[in-house]
Amino acid sequence: MVVHGPLPPPRHSLAGIPGPKSAGETLLSGAHIPWWKEAVFYQIYPRSFADSDGDGVGDLAGIRAHLSDLAWLGVDALWISPFFRSPMADFGYDVSDFCDVDPLFGDLAEFDALVADAHLLGMKVVIDWVPNHTSDQHPWFVDAASSRESSRRHWYVWRDAAPDGSPPNNWVAAFDLTAPAWTLHESTDQWYLHLFEAAQPDLNWDEPAVVEAMHDTLRFWLDRGVDGFRADVVHGIGKHPALPDDPPEVAGIPHCALNDEPITHERLRAIRTLIDSYPGERMMVGEVFLLSTEAVATYYGNDDELHLAFNFPPLFAPWLASRWAECIEDARRSIDPRGAWPTWVLSNHDNPRHRTRYDRGAARAGEEPATAARRSEPRARAAAVLLLTLRGTPFIFQGDELGLADADIPEDVRVDPGGRDGCRAVLPWDGSKDHGWPMRDGMTTWLPSAPEADSRNRVTQRGRPDSILHLYRRAIAIRRACPALALGSYDPLASPEGTLAFRRQLESSACTVLVNFTGDPVEMASLGLVGATVLLASDDTAPAERFSGLLGPDQAVVLST
Ligand code: TEU
């Protein structure tokens, strides 16, 4: 096993922070808590994470070589974005073989070794599963497109042109919002559906053979020992049988953000049954790209569909207390009554990183550039504390723990059809010239490095106890040490404008979290918490101080209450 340097200390036991308590120890009821409720997830976008062979594209061996860094950070589970065989039209989300590793990333033996090492370090491994579509180079599609009589023709969605020769309906594809979600396949003179790129034809889940083949892909990886799946645009696997036009009032919205059909729930129940039939609490977190928490919540079913579902409104929320209060209330109203468990995401590989979003939002709201520059890091630090103290499973996107912003990628270097290159800039590992990406034969990394790489890299930040990396590590450790933070109830507290205050409690464990979303100090004495022990402050390294009652600009604190 490749572990650089000494093995990390036992996770979650940092100086000044009480040692880990398992939920079982604390819950008098003795209720069993599935691991994915308590876990902190870390998303790895493999192309940009770490490279082992100097070809400029990250790979599985690169991930494996850095597992000890992730164990040091304290995360419990890894979600690895696609590494399957792919022509890379959508950088791996166009899969041409669901059951093999693309040679760019390694091979199945390397994957097995990665899972084994992660498990040894106490981390679960969740992989991406892309059920809505395949690559147009997948043998299934090649066969389906070969003739209208192909036995696999109906594995995809084919329609004749509308009477005027235009596409079969008005659905819009993602990325290029002027493009129809249909492409004419000339030799068989029919259109095929693709909610994303033309190189990503949608599978037809009405076809029982497709269901069986896709279930087999789940079994393949479950048999190899993965702990679960992140299911890509999983709300897409059921389409309206008549494929009706989208109504004019949603014109210009890609159909993938609108597709919400009852049949999908039936299909998810079958998938859930399959996953739950495996021992060891395997799980699925679904990407449900519907921009309403109420709609997303339905995909948990009656604890018989997704184990977890991503909820994206907070990913698009600006750094504003009022918006965050709404997002949290929406989750409480929609997800909690089902007995389901929320998730929280600030950044991922599809959207500008939250530090960049908050900076841009502030600039749009008229913030002076100098003020914006001063507030940028404190906002990212306070957001980290918020993410790791809300009720639900948090997902950290690689590099957020370094406080990375998006790279400004010149147009001629952009490669992504969806223009999402900035957040995918490669991760800086150290302060050397190549930041831990030594290239062979004059090759270059597939995307430039993330900005401020001389200081925002792992080695430099590990050496600085006041870095955002250490803040993430402490916040994760505190979450682990305080069952209230991982699993407790959530009670909003009245607090001054521009701030959020909430109490988390589980039996005798209780904490209060205060977040200031403004650039000015705010007096919080009215909450009656003056003198409470500060377990964590987003801008400070020293725990165990007493709360003065004043919350600093863009500061978040966790108090023992
Ligand atoms: O994303 C689905 C999705 O709906 C978003 O990509 C959204 O359309 C996009 O962010 C708008 O800019 C998933 C994957 O996360 C993404 O990387 C893939 O490109 C997409 O599915 C297709 O597989």
Side-chain angles (χ1 to χ4, degrees), residues 487-506:
L487 295 165
S489 57
Y490 173 100
D491 290 300
L493 304 175
S495 70
E497 205 182 323
T499 69
L500 275 188
F502 53 87
R503 188 154 196 276
R504 305 290 315 279
Q505 178 160 17
L506 186 72

Side-chain angles (χ1 to χ4, degrees), residues 28 44 51 89 217 219 258 268 288 335 349 394-395 401 435 456-457 471 480 502 557:
L28 295 177
I44 293 178
D51 185 16
T217 66
R219 291 189 188 100
L258 302 168
L268 285 176
V288 180
I335 298 173
H349 65 294
F395 287 75
E401 74 281 19
H435 302 299
R456 293 190 186 277
N457 65 71
L471 172 70
R480 183 69 178 189
F502 53 87
V557 296

